[in-house]
Each structure stands twice: as structure tokens, then as C-alpha cells.
Amino acid sequence: MNNEINILLVKPGQYPEEIKVEPTFENLQKLVEGDIEYVYPWHDKACIVCDDEGKLKGRPLNRPLENYDILAGTFLVCGLGDSNLCSLTPNQMKFYEKKYHTPYLFFATLTNYIQCMECTPAQYQHFQRNAHEKESLSERLSDAQQQANDYNQQGNVKLDESILIDL
């Protein structure tokens, strides 16, 4: 018997992907690479499944969660049935794919906030590669700010001033 459901898989720095998965606890843990947590930020019948300790494990920051938090690591957007997870409806799939379509880069500010910036997967990979080559935190922050300014001036991305998360 096939119990697969259609859900949205959202990895850091990548575009979301519609996948089919059997919604067992083990499968969900494998997809998010950790202990699962269910988050219910919306009023419709959908939820986020993410790694409960993604930030503590140092997973890459992924997408803003509304205007109050940031999801770390891979997460899933699933439909909610009466007592379990189910497929997203076609309208939900379209809505959440659009909502989480754009990858983000995140930068710490000097005033203890996190600034996010829209980017493409290629820009995300470029930034991550360059960030790992830097030795000191000040080098990484300086380089990140310069790259953010360069990308913003080229019109390739936009800094999202409305999303400042308090550290």
C-alpha cells in the first residue's frame, strides 16, 4: 500500500522541491537530518517539520519564519489532516513554493540583529565557499558586508529591511 504524501522540501540556499514521501517518523527525521519538531505558524491546514535543534547543531540558516524567527537546516512544509500529516493541496503547494522560493543569505549586524538578503542558489554557494576560506570572524563579516553591498548595487538581490531578527 502506498501512503506517500506530496510535500515541499526546502534546503538552505536552494529552491524548494516538491517531493513524495511516506510520512513515517524515521523518514521525516532523515529528511530534516535530526529530531523533528512541528511548527504551526499559519491558520491553514499546513505545518513546518524541521530539526528541533537545527540552530544548536550549527545548521545553515535557511529561511525567515514570518517576522519572528529563522529556520535552520532543511525543513518540510506538509499538509495537516485530522490526526496526521497529509499532502499539501495544489493551492497550498503553489502558495508555499512561492513563499519559500527565494534562498536567503544571513548576516549578523553590529546591533545584535540578523539581516537577511535574497539571493540565487549560485550566489549562496559562492558566498558559502568564500566564507569558509576566511580565517577570522572579522574577515568573514567584512567580506559578507562587501558582497551584500556588491550584490545589492548590481540589482541582483535585495536586502530585506523588514526582517531584522533580534539575536
Side-chain angles (χ1 to χ4, degrees), residues 51-98:
D51 181 354
D52 184 37
E53 297 181 331
K55 290 178 192 160
L56 295 174
K57 294 176 185 173
R59 301 271 191 245
L61 298 179
N62 190 337
R63 303 291 201 281
L65 179 59
E66 303 311 314
N67 283 334
Y68 66 88
D69 203 355
I70 299 172
L71 295 161
T74 298
F75 68 91
L76 313 169
V77 181
C78 304
L80 287 173
D82 292 334
S83 62
N84 55 7
L85 299 177
C86 65
S87 290
L88 291 169
T89 67
N91 285 342
Q92 286 175 317
M93 186 66 74
K94 184 177 178 181
F95 177 81
Y96 290 112
E97 196 289 329
K98 183 177 179 181

Side-chain angles (χ1 to χ4, degrees), residues 135-147:
E135 293 186 20
S136 72
L137 178 60
S138 61
E139 261 188 318
R140 289 195 305 265
L141 287 174
S142 175
D143 189 55
Q145 290 169 341
Q146 183 59 50
Q147 284 187 24

